[in-house]
Amino acid sequence: MRRDSLFFHADFRRLWASDTASQLGTFAGHTVIPLLAATVLAATPFQMGLLTAAETIAFLIIGLPAGVWVDRMRRRTLMLRADFVRAVLLLSIPVAWWAGVLSLTQLIVVATLVGVATVFFDVAYQSYLPSLVGREHLLEGNAKLQASQSVAYLTGPGIGGGLVQLAGAANAVLMTGAGFLTSALCLLRIRTVEEVPERHEDAKLLPQIAEGLRFVFTDTTLRSIVACTATSNLFNGAFTAVQILFLNRTLGLPPAAVGIVLAIGGVGGIVGAVVAGKVTARLGQARSIWLVPLVTWPLQLLIPLAEPGWKVALIPLALLFTGFGIIIYNVAQVSYRQAVCPDRLLGRMNASVRFVVWGMLPLGGLLGGVLGETIGIRATVWFAMIGEATALLWVVFSPLRKLRDLPTEPIAVG
């Protein structure tokens, strides 16, 4: 192993461990809380849509100003605060359950506030990475962080579903809170001194937000990437709203099996993260952004074909290959975004992108909830999978198709 590998960078290992714990808590929560709503509180499809929307609505509400605040603050400190807030909020769920007062309203409020903290954590860690490891290590760093996300995606739902089966959904939420506390402890051990961001007391919020949006949407390549991811997330939000109901009620899977099925996609993601560097080196970074999705994402159309019995296997098969393609795409496009963005705009650039792409998730969740009530769960799954599979057309029919590699130096801005 090369001595310049980030495996030998102690503070990156701590950030990596922190992100792994945080992602584990997040993905476990994305299985446990909907299962709690579906199995204990008997939520309807529309209520599940509301809960799904609540988890990500913060990206629409505060996503843009969050980028300005991230650029004004030490990012590690902001991440620590976000971890502690999420742990306390999630602890309130089992406490309310033990007291016999848990309601769907509380789940929605907690999911919303946890989402607010997640906005700050996610924007901060993506903006923190370049200063911690240097731009020359961005591809390796993002590949390792994406591997963590894939491991969490693989193990979080399975562990969450198993705990719901063994201990009950409300008690299983404790593990989610523990993940965020572990994340905070890892961040506390980082020794690199973070520079205090330059403050401009006369800087106004709206012009700074506009500068971040302008940087993202005036670059043709960034605009294509954002449109692709946003479209995919809109339809993914619709699928997420009904996926637990589809697996649990339509296909008749118990909670533990639901967790296992949802976790399979993480296997493909782990493989994708491990080979991301080799794939992008062989294909080129630009080609990795459009060619890998073109080959893998259409396999999502197998999911609505699943039926009780052996055809349930179509879902993990589809998730395995699409998980691989999604991670390759994410590693390539996130590394590109970080490389071409000036340091002073990193928070606003990441927040602008997340505002658009993650802001589609709550809209998709509401759409999926409404469609689940009106046209049925399976028809909603078809609608969502067709939309997700065709989202790649944004990058296929873009300037990326004519390139092999992408610029690695920051784009000059006025």
Side-chain angles (χ1 to χ4, degrees), residues 62-374:
I62 63 159
L64 291 175
V68 177
W69 293 323
V70 167
D71 281 338
R72 293 177 177 178
M73 300 176 66
R74 282 194 173 100
R75 288 146 186 174
R76 185 178 73 107
T77 301
L78 195 56
M79 293 158 64
L80 280 167
R81 292 173 182 171
D83 275 336
F84 287 127
V85 166
R86 289 185 288 184
V88 171
L89 286 168
L90 289 166
L91 179 62
S92 73
I93 293 176
V95 170
W97 171 252
W98 297 331
V101 295
L102 182 65
S103 66
L104 187 67
T105 299
Q106 181 181 347
L107 289 187
I108 291 173
V109 171
V110 168
T112 302
L113 295 177
V114 167
V116 171
T118 298
V119 169
F120 284 101
F121 185 93
D122 286 357
V123 173
Y125 98 78
Q126 286 197 340
S127 305
Y128 184 47
L129 182 66
S131 64
L132 188 68
V133 304
R135 293 178 183 272
E136 68 275 13
H137 292 295
L138 283 178
L139 188 63
E140 181 187 359
N142 281 310
K144 288 177 168 54
L145 292 173
Q146 285 290 327
S148 294
Q149 187 179 60
S150 298
V151 169
Y153 188 84
L154 171 67
T155 59
I159 293 173
L163 286 175
V164 170
Q165 191 87 31
L166 294 173
N171 294 328
V173 176
L174 286 173
M175 190 206 71
T176 304
F180 295 131
L181 287 177
T182 303
S183 172
L185 292 175
C186 294
L187 287 173
L188 285 170
R189 297 185 64 237
I190 291 178
R191 296 289 177 259
T192 300
V193 178
E194 186 179 0
E195 293 184 7
V196 180
E198 185 179 354
R199 298 294 297 270
H200 298 281
E201 299 299 332
D202 59 341
K204 295 181 179 180
L205 183 65
L206 290 180
Q208 288 191 297
I209 289 174
E211 187 178 12
L213 286 169
R214 190 163 52 248
F215 176 81
V216 171
F217 288 102
T218 55
D219 181 80
T220 305
T221 302
L222 273 177
R223 191 166 62 242
S224 300
I225 290 170
V226 170
C228 173
T229 310
T231 303
S232 176
N233 280 356
L234 175 67
F235 290 101
N236 180 257
F239 175 60
T240 301
V242 297
Q243 70 176 357
I244 295 294
L245 299 179
F246 181 61
L247 295 171
N248 181 248
R249 297 182 187 175
T250 304
L251 301 182
L253 299 179
V258 169
I260 292 171
V261 168
L262 294 178
I264 297 297
V267 175
I270 292 171
V271 175
V274 169
V275 303
K278 293 180 180 179
V279 170
T280 54
R282 180 67 62 88
L283 295 179
Q285 195 173 1
R287 290 176 186 164
S288 298
I289 292 175
W290 68 267
L291 182 58
V292 174
L294 181 63
V295 173
T296 59
W297 291 11
L299 291 173
Q300 293 173 102
L301 296 173
L302 293 175
I303 292 175
L305 294 173
E307 299 281 355
W310 71 267
K311 286 188 177 180
V312 169
L314 293 174
I315 298 177
L317 178 66
L319 293 177
L320 185 71
F321 286 98
T322 57
F324 174 87
I326 288 168
I327 294 301
I328 296 291
Y329 168 82
N330 280 339
V331 169
Q333 61 95 359
V334 170
S335 299
Y336 168 69
R337 281 164 33 199
Q338 292 169 332
V340 301
C341 183
D343 287 340
R344 68 180 184 84
L345 284 175
L346 276 168
R348 281 168 283 170
M349 179 275 293
N350 285 318
S352 296
V353 172
R354 294 234 165 189
F355 168 76
V356 177
V357 303
W358 285 78
M360 291 297 104
L361 288 172
L363 299 179
L366 291 174
L367 178 62
V370 170
L371 290 177
E373 291 275 6
T374 55

Side-chain angles (χ1 to χ4, degrees), residues 32-43 48 164 169 244-245 248-249 255:
V32 169
I33 293 177
L35 278 172
L36 176 61
T39 61
V40 176
L41 301 179
M48 294 293 283
V164 170
I244 295 294
L245 299 179
N248 181 248
R249 297 182 187 175

